[in-house]
Amino acid sequence: MKNFEKNLARLEEITEKIKSKDISLEEALASFEEGISLAKGMEKEIDKIEGKIQILMNQPAPASDDTPELDLFSDADLMTGSSGEPVKGTRQ
C-alpha cells in the first residue's frame, strides 16, 4: 500500500511537470511514458486490492456463541398460528 501511495505522489508530480509551459517535447514525452507505466502498475495493485476486498466481503460471518434465540411463537398452535382460543369476553 505504501508503494501505491508513493507511485500516486510521483504520478501527480509528473502531471504537474507536463502541464508546465517550460517543458520540452522530449521531456514531456518521457514523463508521459513514465506516467503511463506507473498508472498501469497502480491499476494492477488496485485489482489485487479489489480481489482481497471481494474475498473478505463474501466470507460468512463467524458464528457467535452468544447469538440470542428468539422464540416468539413457542406457545403458538402450529395449525392456526394462534396461541389458543380467545378468552371469553376479550377481543383478540
Side-chain angles (χ1 to χ4, degrees), residues 20-89:
S20 164
K21 293 182 184 202
D22 59 336
I23 187 172
S24 71
L25 183 58
E26 292 82 22
E27 283 182 282
L29 182 57
S31 295
F32 182 77
E33 287 181 75
E34 182 184 355
I36 292 296
S37 176
L38 283 172
K40 285 181 181 180
M42 292 168 67
E43 187 175 15
K44 287 179 184 177
E45 286 185 60
I46 288 173
D47 289 343
K48 285 182 194 176
I49 293 168
E50 285 177 344
K52 287 179 183 180
I53 290 171
Q54 285 298 321
I55 289 169
L56 292 172
M57 294 297 292
N58 291 326
Q59 286 181 347
S64 174
D65 291 338
D66 40 316
T67 303
E69 280 192 43
L70 302 176
D71 196 13
L72 299 175
F73 303 104
S74 61
D75 295 330
D77 182 312
L78 293 177
M79 292 292 284
T80 64
S82 70
S83 58
E85 290 185 38
V87 177
K88 240 182 189 176

